[in-house]
Amino acid sequence: MNAVLRPSTTVDFVEEYAAAAERLAVAVAWSDLRAPIAGCPGWTTYDLVVHIGNVHAWAATIVETGRAAAQQNDKPAHARPRSVSGWYAGKAEDLYEVLRSADPAAPCWNFAFGSGRTAFWPRRQVHEATIHQVDLDRTLGRATDIAPAIARDGVDEVLRVFLHRMHTRGHAADLSGPVALTATDTGDTWVVAPQPRSPSTPMVPAQAVGTTSEKVLALVPSIEHGASPGPTPDRVEAPAAVLYRLLWKRLSLDDESAADARVLGDEGRVRAFLDSRLVP
């Protein structure tokens, strides 16, 4: 197996963000802005691009100030593909300049944990652009090539950031026992396990998550990265890019493009976890 890839040493998130945003801007220029986005029901390509551009602008304000900011609702002056592409490129460039000059270790607010470091944001914007590139490419009838190092970090982000966020928003993962996810091309394994039951923090279904923030946080599954899946019989093994798409609901185990995925152990338990609301 390949050595485990660490995001802090193998990925320059600022430059990866710039590359991802450039790819997206080029694709937008050749897109049908009226095409529906399968991964975001109710959205057209135009809606998707406006969303991403405003997310980039929102993130730039947060990084500049270190504090929470109001979400933005700007729109392109014209709804033609080249104009929308240029509008998006401008938002992306503004964020890139902010990220380039920011201290990644500086204290900065984030939406998942409240307090944190600026380094949260370039990583988040890499995956914002990448997963929506998957959406855009799907409307163009083509697959998105995601580098294994980016995909494995995207899996890690879902499990360490969004799993926590969704729990705190009242969407507990369906997890009755440990489930392992193994990226067959990078050698990474994550074991997601429910927190132990106790009288003060009982396991409850998503619609009945505890009424206090402490109770909700106590239910967040634990994540062990790099562990051998040997003692965890219920697991899914696939290339990192496949796991990435599965967790973001851009792919299902039943799709032909998920042919490289293999489920071992209790398939129902694995599917229940993957079908949970793990991301917004």
Side-chain angles (χ1 to χ4, degrees):
M1 277 198 185
N2 296 334
V4 172
L5 300 174
R6 301 294 183 183
S8 60
T9 58
T10 63
V11 178
D12 181 336
F13 286 105
V14 174
E15 294 306 319
E16 286 292 344
Y17 158 70
E22 183 176 4
R23 286 192 296 270
L24 196 62
V26 170
V28 170
W30 298 98
S31 294
D32 176 0
L33 296 179
R34 297 167 296 179
I37 300 297
C40 305
W43 281 11
T44 63
T45 297
Y46 176 84
D47 298 326
L48 181 78
V49 179
V50 169
H51 163 76
I52 308 169
N54 280 305
V55 167
H56 290 338
W58 176 63
T61 301
I62 292 168
V63 172
E64 284 185 311
T65 65
R67 299 188 297 271
Q71 295 189 7
Q72 301 193 19
N73 191 30
D74 191 19
K75 292 183 179 179
H78 303 285
R80 296 186 294 271
R82 298 274 176 111
S83 296
V84 174
S85 173
W87 174 87
Y88 169 74
K91 298 289 186 184
E93 177 67 20
D94 288 346
L95 174 58
Y96 176 60
E97 292 302 327
V98 170
L99 295 177
R100 284 181 64 192
S101 61
D103 177 2
C108 187
W109 176 88
N110 67 66
F111 58 77
F113 305 103
S115 61
R117 302 292 177 185
T118 297
F120 175 95
W121 288 101
R123 180 197 203 194
R124 172 83 288 277
Q125 295 309 294
V126 166
H127 296 301
E128 181 76 17
T130 300
I131 202 63
H132 288 315
Q133 181 78 54
V134 171
D135 291 326
L136 188 57
D137 284 345
R138 188 171 178 181
T139 70
L140 298 170
R142 65 191 187 197
T144 306
D145 184 20
I146 306 174
I150 297 299
R152 59 79 50 212
D153 185 76
V155 172
D156 195 79
E157 189 202 38
V158 170
L159 298 178
R160 295 187 186 278
V161 174
F162 283 101
L163 192 59
H164 177 278
R165 185 189 187 205
M166 299 312 292
H167 266 69
T168 59
R169 295 176 72 182
H171 303 288
D174 189 336
L175 193 67
S176 57
V179 170
L181 297 88
T182 294
T184 54
D185 53 345
T186 69
D188 290 276
T189 290
W190 297 263
V191 177
V192 187
Q195 295 288 356
R197 295 170 182 261
S198 75
S200 60
T201 58
M203 278 301 236
V204 292
Q207 65 271 23
V209 165
T211 56
T212 68
S213 59
E214 292 81 7
K215 187 175 289 186
V216 172
L217 289 171
L219 296 174
V220 177
S222 63
I223 310 297
E224 187 176 357
H225 176 224
S228 168
T232 306
D234 305 326
R235 60 189 183 271
V236 57
E237 299 177 347
V242 172
L243 293 178
Y244 187 39
R245 291 181 174 93
L246 286 171
L247 291 173
W248 274 101
K249 305 295 189 291
R250 267 53 177 194
L251 188 66
S252 92
L253 287 171
D254 299 317
D255 293 341
E256 287 186 9
S257 50
D260 290 338
R262 184 172 68 141
V263 176
L264 303 173
D266 188 330
E267 183 172 337
R269 179 176 289 168
V270 173
R271 285 180 177 269
F273 173 71
L274 293 176
D275 289 343
S276 300
R277 190 171 176 185
L278 305 174
V279 294

